[in-house]
Amino acid sequence: MLAVEVIGQVLRRRRPLDDAFATHQGLRGLDARDRAFVRALASAVLRHLGYIDAVIAKLVREPIKARDAVAEDILRLGIAQLLVLETPPHAAVSATVALTVALNMAHMTGFVNALLRRVIDEQETVLAEIDRTRVAIPDWLWKSWVGTYGEPATQAIAASLRGEAALDLTLKDPATTDEWAQKLGAVVLPTGSLRVHDNHGRIDALPGFHEGAWWVQDAGAALPAKLLGPVTGMRVADLCAAPGGKTMQLAAAGAKVTALDRSAGRLRRVSENLARVGLVAETVADDAAFYRPPRPFDAILLDAPCSATGTARRHPDVLWLKQQGDIDAMVLAQDRLLDAAARMLTTGGTLVYCVCSLEPEEGPERITRFLARDRRFIRVPIRAAEVGGLTEMITPQGDLRTLPSHLAELGGIDGFYAARLRRVS
């Protein structure tokens, strides 16, 4: 029941899954295991929503009426149990029909029961005709990615989004990599992050959490801060800093960090994370577009707000919450932030701009336009050696571009774009 309510909040109220899950009153009384189970159910539906809805469309003559939207979500959950979670058919059908009654959709029980039984009967015939890779991505995103990366790469991206993302960790002290890899049973990725597979327990129960030896950060998200190079003793701004992974990287590398974010609440989380790992940074609650530092910074990392389409491995809801209009609004804010960051940087300083988006409008197009209007800056190409020797992550222009399908044999990586610029005059 709770999973259906969370799904409804995401798909109809257009709330991110994390927000819907964190604020649901009914989940607060559950223990950690039951909460994890509810989230697993909701995530399974959202991760495979394109396929699930294609199955419904294949078997239903007319769209389900808006007044029966709850029944549609119940049906989605039932199909996810049958086709994704491989729940025994009898258990999946009976539980789904019972849920239909419990959620005041009793008039739909016959419909739900009949359709689920057709899913079971026609799974290897009618439903086998569905191109599961193609329906996994909304049309507008598919067209964008094919136009940018080509169809084979887009198919590889879509395939990479089917599975749960592993747990990635960034170490406070990279010199202890082998030690913590052994303690955690982790794989050391070429980029330096530790990857823990099959972790289904509490994060704070893992070795090293309370010692502050590491923090959770996708391997893709850990790359942009490294592109600033040696930062010991330098004044570095981390703009749009929350939740603080990049701030901690820079502080651990010896920088004097100013972590700036317009959300005071999110900054408190940054401070809490810094305290746990024993690192120090100045935190400033302000809008980076209007902030004026007492004096220019030596280096700036701008992790700009974006559509976050590159994070769909971890946040499957993002594919269904975003639309082209969201991208159009984002680019205006990204331009303002780039211009503001340029004003904060000293001559000779380095600016790294990054977004966790796969959309060209939010990445290379923003840098092309910025360099055209601000002649004080030049692009400083990124070398493959800086990202673990992974040449496929370096664009012809010398920028960083990770795709979810990169490192596929190790479980993939979040999609990021980053460009490194230097102020020369």
Side-chain angles (χ1 to χ4, degrees), residues 296-316:
F297 292 104
D298 302 314
I300 294 176
L301 175 61
L302 170 55
D303 186 0
C306 67
S307 62
T309 53
T311 68
R313 291 166 59 250
R314 299 187 185 280
H315 304 286

Side-chain angles (χ1 to χ4, degrees), residues 17-346:
L17 175 59
D18 286 348
D19 291 353
F21 195 81
T23 60
H24 196 293
Q25 295 292 330
L27 290 166
R28 295 183 177 178
L30 300 183
D31 61 29
R33 184 172 181 176
D34 287 341
R35 283 171 60 87
F37 178 65
V38 172
R39 188 179 183 102
L41 290 175
S43 295
V45 171
L46 296 170
R47 186 174 301 282
H48 300 273
L49 183 64
Y51 177 48
I52 291 169
D53 281 359
V55 168
I56 294 174
K58 193 85 171 176
L59 300 179
V60 176
R61 292 182 180 180
E62 297 181 2
I64 297 173
K65 294 180 174 61
R67 67 175 185 238
D68 296 323
V70 172
E72 185 174 25
D73 291 340
I74 295 170
L75 188 56
R76 285 167 169 151
L77 183 58
I79 294 173
Q81 291 180 76
L82 289 171
L83 301 184
V84 177
L85 301 174
E86 298 181 348
T87 304
H90 174 73
V93 173
S94 60
T96 304
V97 170
L99 193 56
T100 307
V101 175
L103 289 175
N104 300 317
M105 286 282 132
H107 64 286
M108 296 290 286
T109 54
F111 171 80
V112 169
N113 180 65
L115 195 137
L116 289 180
R117 294 191 181 281
R118 285 192 64 191
V119 170
I120 296 168
D121 294 340
E122 301 178 28
Q123 182 175 347
E124 296 181 0
T125 54
V126 176
L127 302 187
E129 300 172 2
I130 297 172
D131 183 346
R132 189 166 182 174
T133 299
R134 174 60 191 86
V135 299
I137 309 297
D139 286 343
W140 73 275
L141 271 180
W142 182 271
K143 292 175 183 177
S144 171
W145 294 352
V146 169
T148 304
Y149 308 110
E151 185 150 348
T154 301
Q155 290 176 339
I157 292 171
S160 74
L161 303 182
R162 290 183 189 173
E164 293 279 347
L167 179 70
D168 289 351
L169 308 176
T170 297
L171 289 174
K172 178 180 175 182
D173 181 3
T176 62
T177 295
D178 291 341
E179 173 190 347
W180 283 109
Q182 184 175 9
K183 288 181 179 179
L184 292 160
V187 174
V188 182
L189 299 181
T191 57
S193 294
L194 295 189
R195 175 158 292 175
V196 181
H197 291 282
D198 303 322
N199 177 62
H200 302 296
R202 293 171 58 97
I203 301 297
D204 58 6
L206 290 175
F209 178 86
H210 294 290
E211 298 94 317
W214 48 260
W215 54 88
V216 176
Q217 186 179 31
D218 185 84
L223 293 176
K226 298 179 180 181
L227 304 180
L228 288 174
V231 292
T232 303
M234 294 172 58
R235 296 182 65 254
V236 181
D238 182 9
L239 305 183
C240 311
K246 298 174 182 66
T247 296
M248 290 186 282
Q249 282 182 277
L250 295 167
K256 300 173 183 177
V257 187
T258 296
L260 189 143
D261 198 283
R262 67 180 183 178
S263 169
R266 285 167 59 83
L267 268 180
R268 283 194 292 273
R269 183 179 174 190
V270 175
S271 297
E272 292 167 359
N273 289 335
L274 285 164
R276 180 180 68 81
V277 299
L279 293 170
V280 176
E282 177 189 26
T283 57
V284 177
D286 205 341
D287 189 332
F290 304 104
Y291 176 68
R292 296 294 181 268
R295 58 192 177 95
F297 292 104
D298 302 314
I300 294 176
L301 175 61
L302 170 55
D303 186 0
C306 67
S307 62
T309 53
T311 68
R313 291 166 59 250
R314 299 187 185 280
H315 304 286
D317 51 310
V318 73
L319 298 180
W320 311 104
L321 291 178
K322 302 297 181 181
Q323 299 173 353
Q324 182 61 56
D326 298 319
I327 309 295
D328 298 337
M330 286 290 182
V331 299
L332 299 175
Q334 290 154 5
D335 284 345
R336 285 196 299 269
L337 288 168
L338 268 168
D339 292 341
R343 293 191 293 268
M344 300 182 204
L345 189 66
T346 190

